Amino acid sequence: MYGQTGSGKTFTMRGMQKHLARDVFATDELSLVLLSSFELEGRECRDLLEPSDVPLQLLEDGNGNLIVQGLGEIVVEGENDLIQLLDDMAERRKTHATFANAESSRTHSFTKLRIRTSCGEGEISLVDLAGSERNKDSAHHDVSRQKESALINSSLMALKECVRKKQEKAGYIPFRSSELTRLLKPVFTSDNTVFSQVNLGKGAS
């Protein structure tokens, strides 16, 4: 989920999550659903299911993919249980008022469902990116908000460059430009189905 801050990304994602909860538990072949979720702020990760003051560590596996060490994972009991857990995680996600948005998400959130049925096992990952901000929208922020905005915009620019290189079929894609793109590396290198949604706000240019 990508777009300018205040364009309704998180609201749209919440609607998608509720539809997903309904659809996942609609099958009689379902045997197990596992949920994990974290937020990324700059280079720091925090577990949204089992919150702690200690950030989670990002480590690289043998294939060059980032893994979040110590990330919790829980069994989901049903549709209502999943919706409640998603609501709880949304409440824990870091937000602040900005010039452009009264409740701006200041982190990128990653939510994963591991689903096991009688036919096999699969995964669904939902990524809600923090909103991009124009310079004039962050000019009156305090130092802390300006730093956040700079980190957000920098990571989104790195992601845009990776998308551009992928479209150009370039031999090299600069995943290492940010923690965000390192975490999203499998999106560009695997044969998984990827759906992207871009929200446009009235202030978009």
Side-chain angles (χ1 to χ4, degrees):
M1 187 72 66
Y2 175 87
Q4 186 175 325
T5 186
S7 61
K9 297 183 308 303
T10 300
F11 177 82
T12 304
M13 178 62 80
R14 294 297 294 121
M16 292 173 61
Q17 289 173 339
K18 289 179 180 179
H19 283 293
L20 175 62
R22 179 197 63 197
D23 292 345
V24 164
F25 287 95
T27 175
D28 295 331
E29 299 174 343
L30 188 66
S31 59
L32 180 67
V33 177
L34 296 167
L35 173 68
S36 61
S37 184
F38 66 92
E39 63 179 350
L40 174 69
E41 181 181 13
R43 296 182 176 181
E44 290 191 350
C45 283
R46 287 182 292 273
D47 195 325
L48 290 174
L49 270 176
E50 301 173 359
S52 169
D53 293 333
V54 181
L56 299 171
Q57 285 195 329
L58 291 172
L59 301 176
E60 194 171 279
D61 65 15
N63 297 318
N65 298 319
L66 279 190
I67 58 173
V68 185
Q69 187 180 44
L71 181 64
E73 188 176 51
I74 65 172
V75 175
V76 183
E77 301 296 341
E79 177 183 347
N80 292 334
D81 185 32
L82 178 54
I83 290 174
Q84 184 60 59
L85 288 166
L86 293 168
D87 286 341
D88 292 343
M89 293 186 302
E91 287 293 323
R92 296 184 187 119
R93 189 176 174 191
K94 183 177 179 180
T95 62
H96 278 294
T98 67
F99 180 79
N101 187 358
E103 194 174 349
S104 176
S105 298
R106 311 308 289 169
T107 62
H108 307 301
S109 74
F110 293 73
T111 300
K112 179 188 288 186
L113 287 171
R114 289 202 297 136
I115 302 167
R116 188 177 302 161
T117 71
S118 58
C119 300
E121 184 172 325
E123 293 182 357
I124 298 176
S125 295
L126 300 172
V127 181
D128 184 16
L129 299 172
S132 60
E133 288 189 330
R134 298 173 298 182
N135 289 335
K136 69 177 184 179
D137 289 335
S138 58
H140 302 293
H141 292 173
D142 60 24
V143 173
S144 178
R145 295 291 82 75
Q146 288 182 349
K147 182 179 179 181
E148 285 175 354
S149 297
L151 287 171
I152 291 168
N153 286 342
S154 175
S155 63
L156 293 175
M157 286 296 293
L159 176 58
K160 185 176 79 170
E161 183 65 13
C162 287
V163 171
R164 186 175 69 85
K165 291 293 185 180
K166 177 70 172 180
Q167 290 176 330
E168 293 174 353
K169 299 185 182 330
Y172 170 72
I173 299 177
F175 298 114
R176 293 186 175 274
S177 299
S178 78
E179 270 61 32
L180 174 64
T181 49
R182 292 177 72 193
L183 284 164
L184 290 176
K185 178 183 175 183
V187 171
F188 295 94
T189 59
S190 70
D191 295 327
N192 297 331
T193 300
V194 178
F195 171 78
S196 300
Q197 171 145 336
V198 178
N199 280 28
L200 300 178
K202 61 182 180 180
S205 60

Coordinates of all heavy atoms in Angstrom, one line a residue, residues 82-164:
L82 N -9.0 -12.9 14.4 CA -8.0 -12.2 13.5 C -8.3 -10.7 13.4 O -7.4 -9.9 13.5 CB -8.1 -12.9 12.1 CG -7.1 -12.2 11.0 CD1 -5.7 -12.1 11.5 CD2 -7.2 -13.0 9.7
I83 N -9.6 -10.3 13.2 CA -9.9 -8.9 13.1 C -9.5 -8.2 14.4 O -9.0 -7.1 14.4 CB -11.4 -8.8 12.9 CG1 -11.7 -9.2 11.4 CG2 -11.9 -7.3 13.0 CD1 -13.2 -9.3 11.1
Q84 N -9.8 -8.8 15.6 CA -9.4 -8.2 16.8 C -7.9 -8.0 17.0 O -7.4 -6.9 17.4 CB -9.9 -9.0 18.0 CG -9.7 -8.3 19.4 CD -10.3 -7.0 19.5 OE1 -11.6 -6.9 19.4 NE2 -9.6 -5.9 19.8
L85 N -7.1 -9.0 16.6 CA -5.7 -8.9 16.6 C -5.2 -7.8 15.7 O -4.3 -7.0 16.0 CB -5.1 -10.3 16.2 CG -5.2 -11.4 17.2 CD1 -4.8 -12.7 16.6 CD2 -4.3 -11.1 18.4
L86 N -5.8 -7.7 14.5 CA -5.4 -6.7 13.5 C -5.7 -5.3 14.1 O -4.9 -4.3 13.9 CB -6.1 -6.9 12.2 CG -5.6 -8.1 11.4 CD1 -6.6 -8.4 10.3 CD2 -4.2 -8.0 10.9
D87 N -6.8 -5.2 14.7 CA -7.2 -3.9 15.4 C -6.2 -3.5 16.5 O -5.8 -2.4 16.6 CB -8.6 -4.0 16.0 CG -9.7 -3.9 14.9 OD1 -9.4 -3.5 13.8 OD2 -10.8 -4.4 15.2
D88 N -5.8 -4.5 17.3 CA -4.9 -4.2 18.4 C -3.5 -3.8 17.8 O -2.9 -2.9 18.3 CB -4.7 -5.5 19.2 CG -5.9 -5.9 20.0 OD1 -6.8 -5.0 20.2 OD2 -6.0 -7.0 20.5
M89 N -3.1 -4.4 16.7 CA -1.8 -4.1 16.1 C -1.8 -2.7 15.5 O -0.9 -1.9 15.6 CB -1.4 -5.1 15.1 CG -1.1 -6.5 15.7 SD -0.5 -7.7 14.5 CE -1.8 -7.7 13.3
A90 N -3.0 -2.3 14.9 CA -3.1 -1.0 14.4 C -3.0 0.1 15.4 O -2.4 1.1 15.2 CB -4.4 -0.9 13.6
E91 N -3.6 -0.2 16.6 CA -3.5 0.7 17.7 C -2.0 0.9 18.2 O -1.7 2.0 18.7 CB -4.4 0.2 18.9 CG -5.8 0.4 18.7 CD -6.3 1.8 18.6 OE1 -5.7 2.7 19.3 OE2 -7.2 2.1 17.7
R92 N -1.2 -0.1 18.1 CA 0.1 -0.1 18.6 C 1.1 0.6 17.6 O 2.2 1.0 18.0 CB 0.7 -1.5 18.9 CG -0.1 -2.2 20.0 CD 0.5 -3.6 20.3 NE -0.3 -4.3 21.3 CZ -0.9 -5.5 21.0 NH1 -0.8 -6.0 19.8 NH2 -1.7 -6.1 21.9
R93 N 0.7 0.7 16.4 CA 1.6 1.3 15.4 C 1.8 2.7 15.7 O 0.9 3.5 16.1 CB 1.0 1.1 14.0 CG 1.9 1.5 12.9 CD 1.3 1.2 11.5 NE 2.1 1.7 10.4 CZ 1.7 1.7 9.2 NH1 0.4 1.3 8.9 NH2 2.5 2.2 8.2
K94 N 3.0 3.2 15.5 CA 3.4 4.5 15.8 C 2.8 5.5 14.8 O 2.9 5.4 13.6 CB 5.0 4.7 15.7 CG 5.5 6.1 16.1 CD 7.0 6.1 16.1 CE 7.5 7.5 16.5 NZ 8.9 7.6 16.5
T95 N 2.1 6.5 15.4 CA 1.5 7.6 14.6 C 1.8 8.9 15.3 O 2.0 9.0 16.5 CB 0.0 7.4 14.5 OG1 -0.6 7.5 15.8 CG2 -0.4 6.1 13.8
H96 N 1.7 10.0 14.5 CA 1.9 11.4 15.0 C 1.1 12.3 14.1 O 0.9 12.0 12.9 CB 3.3 11.8 15.1 CG 4.1 11.3 16.3 ND1 3.8 11.7 17.5 CD2 5.1 10.4 16.4 CE1 4.6 11.1 18.4 NE2 5.4 10.3 17.7
A97 N 0.7 13.4 14.7 CA 0.0 14.4 13.9 C 1.1 15.2 13.1 O 2.2 15.5 13.6 CB -0.7 15.4 14.8
T98 N 0.8 15.4 11.8 CA 1.7 16.2 11.0 C 0.9 17.3 10.3 O -0.3 17.4 10.4 CB 2.4 15.4 9.9 OG1 1.4 14.9 8.9 CG2 3.1 14.1 10.5
F99 N 1.6 18.2 9.6 CA 0.9 19.3 8.9 C -0.1 18.8 7.9 O -1.2 19.4 7.7 CB 2.0 20.1 8.1 CG 1.4 21.3 7.4 CD1 1.0 22.5 8.0 CD2 1.2 21.2 6.0 CE1 0.5 23.5 7.4 CE2 0.6 22.3 5.3 CZ 0.3 23.5 6.0
A100 N 0.2 17.6 7.2 CA -0.7 17.1 6.2 C -1.7 16.1 6.7 O -2.6 15.7 6.0 CB 0.2 16.5 5.1
N101 N -1.5 15.5 7.9 CA -2.3 14.4 8.4 C -2.4 14.4 9.9 O -1.4 14.4 10.6 CB -1.8 13.1 7.9 CG -2.7 11.9 8.1 OD1 -3.7 12.0 8.8 ND2 -2.2 10.7 7.7
A102 N -3.6 14.5 10.4 CA -3.7 14.5 11.9 C -3.3 13.2 12.6 O -3.0 13.2 13.8 CB -5.2 14.8 12.2
E103 N -3.3 12.1 11.9 CA -2.9 10.8 12.5 C -2.1 10.1 11.4 O -2.5 9.1 10.8 CB -4.1 10.0 12.9 CG -3.8 8.8 13.8 CD -5.0 8.1 14.3 OE1 -6.1 8.7 14.2 OE2 -4.8 7.0 14.9
S104 N -0.8 10.5 11.2 CA 0.0 10.0 10.2 C 0.8 8.8 10.7 O 1.4 8.8 11.8 CB 1.0 11.1 9.7 OG 1.9 10.5 8.8
S105 N 0.8 7.7 10.0 CA 1.6 6.5 10.3 C 3.0 6.8 10.0 O 3.4 7.2 8.9 CB 1.2 5.3 9.5 OG -0.2 4.9 9.7
R106 N 3.9 6.7 11.1 CA 5.3 7.0 10.9 C 6.2 5.8 10.7 O 7.4 6.0 10.8 CB 5.7 7.8 12.2 CG 4.8 8.9 12.6 CD 4.5 9.9 11.4 NE 5.7 10.7 11.1 CZ 5.8 11.5 10.0 NH1 4.8 11.5 9.2 NH2 6.9 12.2 9.8
T107 N 5.6 4.7 10.5 CA 6.4 3.5 10.2 C 5.8 2.7 9.1 O 4.7 2.9 8.7 CB 6.4 2.6 11.5 OG1 5.0 2.2 11.7 CG2 6.9 3.3 12.7
H108 N 6.6 1.8 8.5 CA 6.1 0.8 7.5 C 5.7 -0.4 8.3 O 6.4 -0.9 9.2 CB 7.2 0.4 6.6 CG 7.9 1.6 5.9 ND1 7.2 2.5 5.1 CD2 9.2 2.0 5.9 CE1 8.0 3.4 4.6 NE2 9.2 3.1 5.1
S109 N 4.5 -0.9 8.1 CA 4.0 -2.1 8.8 C 4.0 -3.4 7.9 O 3.7 -3.3 6.7 CB 2.7 -1.9 9.4 OG 1.7 -1.9 8.4
F110 N 4.4 -4.5 8.4 CA 4.5 -5.8 7.7 C 3.7 -6.8 8.5 O 3.9 -7.0 9.7 CB 5.9 -6.3 7.6 CG 6.8 -5.5 6.8 CD1 7.3 -4.2 7.2 CD2 7.3 -5.9 5.5 CE1 8.2 -3.5 6.4 CE2 8.1 -5.2 4.8 CZ 8.6 -3.9 5.2
T111 N 2.7 -7.4 7.9 CA 1.8 -8.4 8.5 C 1.8 -9.6 7.6 O 1.6 -9.6 6.4 CB 0.4 -7.9 8.7 OG1 0.4 -6.7 9.5 CG2 -0.5 -8.9 9.3
K112 N 2.1 -10.8 8.3 CA 2.1 -12.0 7.5 C 1.2 -13.1 8.1 O 1.1 -13.2 9.3 CB 3.5 -12.6 7.5 CG 3.7 -14.0 6.8 CD 5.0 -14.6 7.0 CE 6.1 -13.8 6.2 NZ 7.4 -14.5 6.3
L113 N 0.4 -13.7 7.2 CA -0.4 -14.9 7.6 C 0.2 -16.1 7.0 O 0.4 -16.2 5.7 CB -1.8 -14.7 7.1 CG -2.7 -13.7 7.9 CD1 -4.0 -13.5 7.1 CD2 -3.0 -14.1 9.3
R114 N 0.5 -17.1 7.8 CA 0.9 -18.4 7.2 C -0.4 -19.3 7.4 O -0.9 -19.5 8.5 CB 2.0 -19.0 8.0 CG 3.3 -18.3 7.7 CD 4.6 -19.2 8.0 NE 4.7 -19.5 9.4 CZ 5.0 -20.7 9.8 NH1 5.2 -21.7 9.0 NH2 5.1 -21.0 11.1
I115 N -0.8 -19.9 6.2 CA -2.1 -20.6 6.1 C -1.8 -22.0 5.7 O -1.1 -22.3 4.7 CB -3.0 -19.9 5.1 CG1 -3.2 -18.4 5.6 CG2 -4.3 -20.6 5.0 CD1 -3.9 -17.6 4.5
R116 N -2.3 -22.9 6.5 CA -2.2 -24.4 6.2 C -3.6 -25.0 6.0 O -4.5 -24.8 6.8 CB -1.5 -25.1 7.4 CG -1.1 -26.5 7.1 CD -0.4 -27.1 8.2 NE 0.8 -26.4 8.5 CZ 1.4 -26.4 9.7 NH1 1.0 -27.2 10.7 NH2 2.5 -25.7 9.9
T117 N -3.7 -25.7 4.9 CA -5.0 -26.3 4.5 C -4.7 -27.8 4.2 O -3.5 -28.2 4.1 CB -5.7 -25.7 3.3 OG1 -4.9 -26.0 2.1 CG2 -5.8 -24.2 3.5
S118 N -5.7 -28.5 3.9 CA -5.5 -29.9 3.5 C -4.8 -30.0 2.1 O -4.2 -31.1 1.8 CB -6.8 -30.7 3.4 OG -7.7 -30.0 2.5
C119 N -4.7 -28.9 1.4 CA -4.1 -28.9 0.1 C -2.6 -28.5 0.1 O -1.9 -28.6 -0.8 CB -4.8 -28.0 -0.9 SG -6.6 -28.4 -1.1
G120 N -2.2 -27.9 1.3 CA -0.8 -27.4 1.4 C -0.7 -26.2 2.3 O -1.6 -25.9 3.0
E121 N 0.4 -25.5 2.1 CA 0.7 -24.3 3.0 C 1.1 -23.2 2.1 O 1.8 -23.3 1.1 CB 1.7 -24.6 4.0 CG 2.0 -23.5 5.0 CD 3.0 -23.9 6.1 OE1 2.9 -25.1 6.6 OE2 3.8 -23.1 6.6
G122 N 0.7 -22.0 2.5 CA 1.0 -20.7 1.8 C 1.1 -19.6 2.7 O 0.8 -19.7 3.9
E123 N 1.5 -18.4 2.1 CA 1.7 -17.2 2.9 C 1.0 -16.0 2.2 O 1.0 -16.0 1.0 CB 3.2 -16.9 3.1 CG 3.9 -17.8 4.0 CD 5.4 -17.4 4.2 OE1 5.8 -16.4 3.6 OE2 6.1 -18.1 4.9
I124 N 0.5 -15.1 3.0 CA 0.0 -13.8 2.5 C 0.6 -12.8 3.4 O 0.6 -12.8 4.6 CB -1.5 -13.7 2.7 CG1 -2.2 -14.8 1.8 CG2 -2.0 -12.3 2.2 CD1 -3.7 -14.8 2.0
S125 N 1.3 -11.8 2.7 CA 2.0 -10.7 3.4 C 1.3 -9.4 3.0 O 1.0 -9.2 1.8 CB 3.4 -10.7 3.0 OG 4.1 -11.8 3.5
L126 N 1.0 -8.6 4.0 CA 0.4 -7.2 3.7 C 1.4 -6.2 4.2 O 1.8 -6.2 5.4 CB -0.9 -7.1 4.5 CG -2.0 -8.1 4.1 CD1 -3.2 -8.0 5.1 CD2 -2.5 -7.9 2.7
V127 N 1.7 -5.2 3.4 CA 2.7 -4.2 3.7 C 2.0 -2.8 3.5 O 1.6 -2.5 2.4 CB 4.0 -4.3 2.8 CG1 4.9 -3.2 3.2 CG2 4.6 -5.6 2.9
D128 N 1.9 -2.1 4.6 CA 1.3 -0.8 4.6 C 2.4 0.2 4.8 O 3.0 0.4 5.9 CB 0.3 -0.6 5.7 CG -0.5 0.7 5.7 OD1 -0.4 1.4 4.6 OD2 -1.1 1.1 6.7
L129 N 2.8 0.9 3.7 CA 4.0 1.8 3.8 C 3.6 3.1 4.5 O 2.4 3.6 4.3 CB 4.5 2.1 2.4 CG 5.0 0.9 1.6 CD1 5.3 1.3 0.2 CD2 6.2 0.3 2.3
A130 N 4.5 3.7 5.2 CA 4.3 5.1 5.7 C 4.2 6.0 4.5 O 4.7 5.8 3.4 CB 5.5 5.5 6.5
G131 N 3.4 7.1 4.7 CA 3.1 8.0 3.6 C 4.3 9.0 3.3 O 5.0 9.4 4.1
S132 N 4.5 9.2 2.0 CA 5.5 10.2 1.6 C 5.0 11.6 1.9 O 3.8 11.9 2.0 CB 5.7 10.1 0.0 OG 4.5 10.3 -0.7
E133 N 5.9 12.5 2.1 CA 5.6 13.9 2.4 C 6.4 14.9 1.6 O 7.6 14.7 1.4 CB 5.9 14.2 3.9 CG 4.9 13.5 4.9 CD 5.1 14.0 6.3 OE1 6.2 14.4 6.6 OE2 4.1 14.1 7.0
R134 N 5.7 15.9 1.1 CA 6.4 16.9 0.4 C 7.2 17.8 1.4 O 6.8 17.9 2.5 CB 5.4 17.8 -0.4 CG 4.6 17.0 -1.4 CD 3.5 17.9 -2.1 NE 2.6 18.3 -1.1 CZ 1.5 19.0 -1.4 NH1 1.3 19.4 -2.6 NH2 0.6 19.3 -0.4
N135 N 8.3 18.4 0.9 CA 9.1 19.2 1.7 C 8.3 20.4 2.4 O 8.6 20.7 3.6 CB 10.3 19.8 0.9 CG 11.3 18.8 0.5 OD1 11.4 17.8 1.2 ND2 12.1 19.0 -0.5
K136 N 7.4 21.0 1.7 CA 6.7 22.1 2.2 C 5.7 21.6 3.4 O 5.4 22.4 4.2 CB 5.9 22.8 1.2 CG 4.7 22.1 0.6 CD 4.0 23.0 -0.5 CE 2.8 22.3 -1.0 NZ 2.1 23.2 -2.0
D137 N 5.3 20.3 3.3 CA 4.4 19.8 4.4 C 5.2 19.5 5.7 O 4.6 19.4 6.7 CB 3.7 18.5 3.9 CG 2.7 18.8 2.8 OD1 2.2 20.0 2.8 OD2 2.4 17.9 2.0
S138 N 6.5 19.3 5.6 CA 7.3 19.0 6.8 C 8.2 20.1 7.2 O 8.9 20.0 8.2 CB 8.2 17.7 6.5 OG 9.0 17.9 5.4
A139 N 8.1 21.2 6.5 CA 9.0 22.4 6.9 C 8.8 22.9 8.3 O 9.7 23.4 8.9 CB 8.8 23.5 5.8
H140 N 7.5 22.8 8.8 CA 7.2 23.4 10.1 C 7.2 22.3 11.2 O 6.9 22.6 12.3 CB 5.9 24.1 10.1 CG 5.8 25.2 9.0 ND1 6.5 26.3 9.1 CD2 5.1 25.3 7.9 CE1 6.3 27.1 8.1 NE2 5.4 26.5 7.3
H141 N 7.7 21.1 10.9 CA 7.8 20.1 11.9 C 8.9 20.4 12.9 O 9.9 21.1 12.6 CB 8.0 18.7 11.3 CG 6.9 18.2 10.5 ND1 6.9 17.1 9.7 CD2 5.6 18.7 10.3 CE1 5.8 16.8 9.1 NE2 4.9 17.8 9.5
D142 N 8.8 19.8 14.1 CA 10.0 19.8 15.0 C 11.1 18.9 14.4 O 10.9 18.2 13.5 CB 9.6 19.5 16.4 CG 9.0 18.1 16.6 OD1 9.3 17.2 15.7 OD2 8.3 17.9 17.5
V143 N 12.2 18.9 15.1 CA 13.4 18.1 14.6 C 13.1 16.7 14.5 O 13.4 16.0 13.5 CB 14.6 18.4 15.5 CG1 15.8 17.5 15.1 CG2 15.0 19.8 15.5
S144 N 12.3 16.1 15.5 CA 12.0 14.7 15.5 C 11.1 14.3 14.3 O 11.4 13.3 13.7 CB 11.3 14.3 16.8 OG 10.9 13.0 16.9
R145 N 10.1 15.1 14.1 CA 9.2 14.8 12.9 C 10.0 15.0 11.6 O 9.7 14.2 10.6 CB 8.0 15.8 12.9 CG 7.0 15.7 14.1 CD 6.2 14.4 14.1 NE 7.0 13.3 14.6 CZ 7.2 13.1 16.0 NH1 6.7 13.9 16.8 NH2 7.9 12.1 16.4
Q146 N 10.8 16.0 11.5 CA 11.6 16.2 10.3 C 12.5 15.0 10.0 O 12.7 14.5 8.9 CB 12.4 17.5 10.3 CG 11.6 18.7 10.2 CD 12.4 20.0 10.2 OE1 13.6 19.9 10.6 NE2 11.8 21.1 9.9
K147 N 13.1 14.4 11.1 CA 14.0 13.3 10.9 C 13.1 12.1 10.4 O 13.6 11.3 9.6 CB 14.7 13.0 12.2 CG 15.6 11.8 12.2 CD 16.3 11.5 13.5 CE 17.2 10.3 13.4 NZ 17.9 10.1 14.7
E148 N 12.0 11.9 11.1 CA 11.1 10.8 10.6 C 10.7 10.9 9.2 O 10.8 10.0 8.4 CB 9.8 10.8 11.5 CG 9.9 10.3 12.9 CD 8.6 10.5 13.6 OE1 7.7 11.1 13.1 OE2 8.6 10.0 14.8
S149 N 10.3 12.2 8.8 CA 9.9 12.4 7.4 C 11.1 12.1 6.4 O 10.9 11.5 5.3 CB 9.5 13.8 7.2 OG 8.3 14.1 8.0
A150 N 12.3 12.5 6.8 CA 13.4 12.2 5.9 C 13.7 10.7 5.8 O 14.0 10.3 4.7 CB 14.7 12.9 6.5
L151 N 13.6 10.0 6.9 CA 13.8 8.5 6.8 C 12.7 7.9 6.0 O 13.0 7.0 5.2 CB 13.8 7.9 8.2 CG 15.0 8.2 9.1 CD1 14.8 7.8 10.5 CD2 16.2 7.5 8.5
I152 N 11.5 8.3 6.1 CA 10.4 7.7 5.3 C 10.6 8.0 3.9 O 10.5 7.1 3.0 CB 9.0 8.3 5.8 CG1 8.7 7.8 7.2 CG2 7.9 7.9 4.8 CD1 7.5 8.5 7.8
N153 N 10.9 9.2 3.5 CA 11.0 9.6 2.1 C 12.2 8.9 1.5 O 12.2 8.5 0.3 CB 11.2 11.1 1.9 CG 9.8 11.8 2.1 OD1 8.8 11.2 2.0 ND2 9.9 13.1 2.4
S154 N 13.3 8.8 2.3 CA 14.5 8.1 1.8 C 14.2 6.7 1.4 O 14.7 6.1 0.4 CB 15.6 8.2 2.8 OG 16.8 7.5 2.4
S155 N 13.5 6.0 2.3 CA 13.2 4.5 2.1 C 12.3 4.4 0.9 O 12.4 3.4 0.1 CB 12.6 3.9 3.4 OG 11.4 4.5 3.7
L156 N 11.3 5.3 0.8 CA 10.4 5.2 -0.4 C 11.1 5.5 -1.7 O 10.7 4.9 -2.7 CB 9.2 6.2 -0.2 CG 8.3 5.8 1.0 CD1 7.2 6.9 1.2 CD2 7.6 4.4 0.8
M157 N 12.0 6.4 -1.7 CA 12.8 6.7 -2.9 C 13.6 5.4 -3.3 O 13.8 5.1 -4.4 CB 13.7 7.9 -2.7 CG 13.0 9.2 -2.7 SD 12.3 9.6 -4.3 CE 13.8 9.8 -5.3
A158 N 14.2 4.7 -2.3 CA 14.9 3.5 -2.5 C 14.0 2.5 -3.1 O 14.4 1.7 -4.1 CB 15.6 3.0 -1.2
L159 N 12.8 2.4 -2.6 CA 11.8 1.4 -3.2 C 11.5 1.8 -4.6 O 11.4 0.9 -5.5 CB 10.6 1.4 -2.3 CG 9.4 0.5 -2.8 CD1 9.9 -1.0 -2.9 CD2 8.2 0.6 -1.8
K160 N 11.3 3.0 -4.9 CA 10.9 3.5 -6.2 C 12.1 3.1 -7.2 O 11.8 2.7 -8.3 CB 10.7 5.0 -6.3 CG 10.2 5.5 -7.6 CD 9.9 7.0 -7.6 CE 11.2 7.8 -7.6 NZ 10.9 9.3 -7.8
E161 N 13.3 3.2 -6.8 CA 14.4 2.9 -7.6 C 14.5 1.4 -7.9 O 14.8 1.0 -9.0 CB 15.7 3.4 -7.0 CG 17.0 3.2 -7.8 CD 17.0 4.0 -9.1 OE1 16.2 4.9 -9.2 OE2 17.9 3.7 -9.9
C162 N 14.1 0.6 -6.9 CA 14.1 -0.9 -7.1 C 13.0 -1.2 -8.1 O 13.2 -2.1 -9.0 CB 13.9 -1.6 -5.8 SG 15.3 -1.6 -4.7
V163 N 11.9 -0.6 -8.0 CA 10.8 -0.9 -8.9 C 11.2 -0.5 -10.3 O 10.9 -1.2 -11.3 CB 9.5 -0.1 -8.5 CG1 8.4 -0.2 -9.6 CG2 9.0 -0.6 -7.2
R164 N 11.8 0.7 -10.5 CA 12.2 1.2 -11.8 C 13.2 0.2 -12.4 O 13.1 -0.1 -13.6 CB 12.9 2.6 -11.7 CG 13.2 3.2 -13.0 CD 13.7 4.6 -12.8 NE 15.0 4.7 -12.2 CZ 16.1 4.5 -12.8 NH1 16.1 4.4 -14.2 NH2 17.3 4.6 -12.2

